[in-house]
Amino acid sequence: MSKESVTFLTEEEQQELKSKFLGFRQGLVGVGPSRHLLPPHCMGFTKKYKDFKFDSIHAVHRDIRPDLVAKFLSRHPDRDPRTGGIFLELAEMAPAPRTIKTHLPFSLLPPDILETCKVVYVARNPRDVCVSFYHHQSSLGSAEFIGDFSDFVDFWCRDLYLQAPFWGHLKEAWAKRQHRNLLFLFYEDMKENHMREVKRLDAFLGTGLSEEQLRQVAEHTSISQMKSRSSVNPPLSVYTERARKEGRKDFIRKGAIGDWVNYFTPELETKFQAWLKTGEEIAKEIPFKYKAELADTSGK
């Protein structure tokens, strides 16, 4: 990755991050055109991300093998992911056909990815994403956020958090939404009618699953099932000491729609509204469900 593709945060921003995110001892750096924030060690793997070889789109799952994704996401017991690129290696070694999950934006992935494989992109109401990520970053030792929710909203509204910015990431995917090998899904649609969206996914992938297999997939990917499955939830050791003491092993938490109303005070709402305006150009194009909630908080 060239120096021109890396944006370094100010010393003040880095110190703010380190004071609240104890897991980011080295701070964060912005990578790529949208300044996607990642830990500094990731700069050593950006070329590998771009050069990653995906399997042909013809190699799709025709049987139900949900364990494959879990194996890829599992932490390697003997290797530090910051130095060896172990997650990339695990992805490369996974047996075909592979299912690979990533939080990286399109600009940091191979330019021909949509000509090589099928991609499923899931978007969600940003307020619920903010609440969900607050809990995630507070519970896991890799981030160990020690502030309160108002602190997290402040970081969010300044695009100072891991995997920021929300709008930049979304804009890159939305621009490609008409490509035949991209399926753009909304989390709210999946909650509204899980089976309908599973069938859309089946049609997109061309897996040709039977009605019973589709039912099994829908059940297997339900929030209640994932909360109870050890292959989805990380071991206790990855949680912060505080989370362990409080019994917060909530990698899979509620999965609810609209839970943000229980967190946003009028003051936080005002701040978030200002942030929403920064993404207004792309937001007005995207058919988010519950748009009324984005603008109307009078019922709180």
Side-chain angles (χ1 to χ4, degrees):
M1 180 65 67
S2 65
K3 290 183 179 180
E4 291 75 21
S5 298
V6 176
T7 304
F8 293 98
L9 304 183
T10 67
E11 184 59 32
E12 182 180 0
E13 289 173 328
Q14 294 287 28
Q15 289 305 318
E16 282 189 84
L17 281 168
K18 293 176 186 179
S19 70
K20 294 295 185 179
F21 292 86
L22 302 187
F24 300 152
R25 295 178 180 84
Q26 304 302 317
L28 297 174
V29 296
V31 183
S34 63
R35 201 194 79 153
H36 191 70
L37 292 189
L38 296 170
H41 70 265
C42 290
M43 289 191 295
F45 308 119
T46 51
K47 188 176 187 303
K48 289 185 178 181
Y49 297 148
K50 284 274 193 179
D51 295 341
F52 191 88
K53 301 300 181 185
F54 288 92
D55 293 335
S56 164
I57 58 174
H58 300 295
V60 297
H61 291 284
R62 295 195 179 279
D63 57 346
I64 300 176
R65 300 167 66 186
D67 58 304
L68 293 182
V69 177
K71 286 180 179 178
F72 167 59
L73 296 176
S74 299
R75 181 175 294 277
H76 194 284
D78 304 316
R79 294 273 296 281
D80 185 341
R82 293 172 298 180
T83 58
I86 183 61
F87 294 123
L88 277 167
E89 292 180 13
L90 288 173
E92 290 171 340
M93 293 187 297
R98 300 178 299 185
T99 299
I100 299 174
K101 176 184 175 182
T102 180
H103 291 293
L104 293 175
F106 271 101
S107 57
L108 298 184
L109 295 170
D112 63 346
I113 186 172
L114 290 178
E115 304 304 324
T116 308
C117 62
K118 290 180 178 285
V119 176
V120 179
Y121 188 97
V122 181
R124 188 182 186 185
N125 183 315
R127 279 190 179 82
D128 280 332
V129 175
C130 182
V131 171
S132 177
F133 206 36
Y134 160 69
H135 285 282
H136 182 277
Q137 298 284 272
S138 299
S139 297
L140 299 184
S142 57
E144 196 169 355
F145 180 70
I146 62 172
D148 58 23
F149 183 65
S150 63
D151 294 323
F152 193 81
V153 170
D154 182 64
F155 281 107
W156 178 283
C157 291
R158 291 186 291 150
D159 292 331
L160 286 177
Y161 58 92
L162 184 68
Q163 308 290 353
F166 179 91
W167 293 126
H169 199 299
L170 193 61
K171 185 176 182 179
E172 290 185 17
W174 187 247
K176 301 177 184 295
R177 67 189 183 282
Q178 301 297 342
H179 196 286
R180 66 186 184 284
N181 287 328
L182 175 64
L183 178 64
F184 202 105
L185 297 178
F186 291 95
Y187 184 83
E188 291 78 10
D189 288 337
M190 291 190 288
K191 292 291 292 185
E192 179 184 77
N193 191 324
H194 197 173
M195 179 61 83
R196 179 192 63 205
E197 298 306 295
V198 167
K199 288 182 177 180
R200 283 188 64 202
L201 183 61
D202 177 56
F204 171 70
L205 296 176
T207 42
L209 299 182
S210 67
E211 194 71 19
E212 175 58 23
Q213 287 176 315
L214 290 170
R215 187 195 64 76
Q216 291 179 39
V217 170
E219 181 179 354
H220 191 81
T221 55
S222 67
I223 294 296
S224 59
Q225 283 284 319
M226 290 193 291
K227 282 179 71 71
S228 65
R229 203 157 56 243
S230 60
S231 61
V232 175
N233 295 278
L236 191 62
S237 60
V238 310
Y239 291 95
T240 64
E241 182 178 352
R242 178 181 173 183
R244 292 197 298 268
K245 286 181 178 179
E246 296 176 355
R248 291 190 291 113
K249 297 183 294 181
D250 52 0
F251 187 78
I252 304 294
R253 200 174 60 92
K254 290 185 178 181
I257 295 172
D259 189 42
W260 64 269
V261 299
N262 297 311
Y263 291 84
F264 278 81
T265 64
E267 293 76 18
L268 292 180
E269 173 61 22
T270 297
K271 180 177 289 188
F272 212 81
Q273 283 285 350
W275 172 80
L276 284 172
K277 290 185 183 301
T278 67
E280 193 171 29
E281 181 180 349
I282 180 66
K284 66 184 179 183
E285 295 184 24
I286 299 178
F288 277 121
K289 292 289 183 79
Y290 312 101
K291 274 201 169 183
E293 292 182 356
L294 295 179
D296 180 10
T297 57
S298 59
K300 283 189 180 181

